Amino acid sequence: MPTILHEFDWPDRVVVGTVGLPGERTFYLQVRTGTRTVSIALEKQQSALLADSIDEILDQLMSTEGNPFSVPTSTPVELVDNEPLEQPVEEDFRTGTMTLGWDPSTVQIVIEAFPIAVIDEDDITGDPLAIADAATADPEQMLLLRMPVGTARAFAKRTHEVVGAGRPLCPLCGNPIDADGHDCTGPDEP
């Protein structure tokens, strides 16, 4: 069966947002062009790592002599997006493997996202590269997203804010505090 490719070259909107209450949130990377919207579920850690990695790439590009790609140091004000996810949020797939890259020919950050793969243990040898190859070989669906540097900077900033907007952390033990509190072990407790 051929892979369903969700491809966005110059999206109108690309954001990470959540559905649910803190502690029970589901994270989504949502992309829209015109009336076409794709929403893929991510883990909180995937969202944070994606934003960190995008910022790292942009910072490296910005440090190139003369900043030839016009990478902004911060989010351009016209690209700030604090709106909620497009409704209804319909999950196209849950993300397993992601790749992140840079396309100098279009001056865009490139994200590829693949669904969580069910891997037949007989098809792999235990080698991490073989596992990664099996996870991306002939996926049912795939997201291919290209976004310009300003949009990427705005995306990373918003993603950091969304990730940080979860449950507050206990100042004593560092664990998340639920709406009904938590059993604090304190810094000296096991």
Side-chain angles (χ1 to χ4, degrees):
M1 181 161 97
T3 299
I4 298 170
L5 177 62
H6 305 285
E7 187 171 8
F8 294 85
D9 287 332
W10 294 89
D12 295 334
R13 183 175 195 227
V14 54
V15 295
V16 165
T18 62
V19 173
L21 299 172
E24 300 173 4
R25 300 183 297 170
T26 300
F27 285 74
Y28 290 96
L29 188 162
Q30 192 176 72
V31 189
R32 179 180 50 79
T33 296
T35 59
R36 184 172 157 243
T37 302
V38 170
S39 302
I40 61 172
L42 300 168
E43 294 297 324
K44 180 179 182 178
Q45 295 82 0
Q46 285 176 306
S47 303
L49 182 58
L50 180 60
D52 289 343
S53 298
I54 288 172
D55 274 338
E56 186 176 310
I57 289 172
L58 293 174
D59 290 346
Q60 287 175 0
L61 291 167
M62 194 174 63
S63 69
T64 304
E65 187 175 329
N67 191 6
F69 302 112
S70 301
V71 177
T73 57
S74 61
T75 300
V77 83
E78 66 274 9
L79 296 177
V80 171
D81 184 345
N82 293 320
E83 297 300 314
L85 294 172
E86 308 277 336
Q87 297 296 322
V89 176
E90 295 177 8
E91 181 178 308
D92 289 280
F93 63 85
R94 179 160 289 281
T95 305
T97 305
M98 297 180 81
T99 65
L100 181 62
W102 167 250
D103 183 349
S105 67
T106 60
V107 190
Q108 291 179 306
I109 295 290
V110 180
I111 299 171
E112 294 177 327
F114 302 89
I116 293 174
V118 176
I119 301 171
D120 184 353
E121 291 182 27
D122 295 333
D123 294 341
I124 58 173
T125 62
D127 174 22
L129 292 177
I131 294 170
D133 288 344
T136 58
D138 299 322
E140 290 182 19
Q141 298 184 62
M142 173 188 167
L143 172 69
L144 175 57
L145 167 62
R146 291 180 176 87
M147 60 181 145
V149 293
T151 301
R153 188 65 88 184
F155 173 86
K157 180 180 187 296
R158 175 189 167 118
T159 301
H160 285 299
E161 291 170 354
V162 168
V163 167
R167 297 174 287 174
L169 299 179
C170 174
L172 298 175
C173 67
N175 291 323
I177 301 172
D178 292 320
D180 57 347
H182 78 290
D183 293 327
C184 183
T185 57
D188 297 330
E189 298 293 321

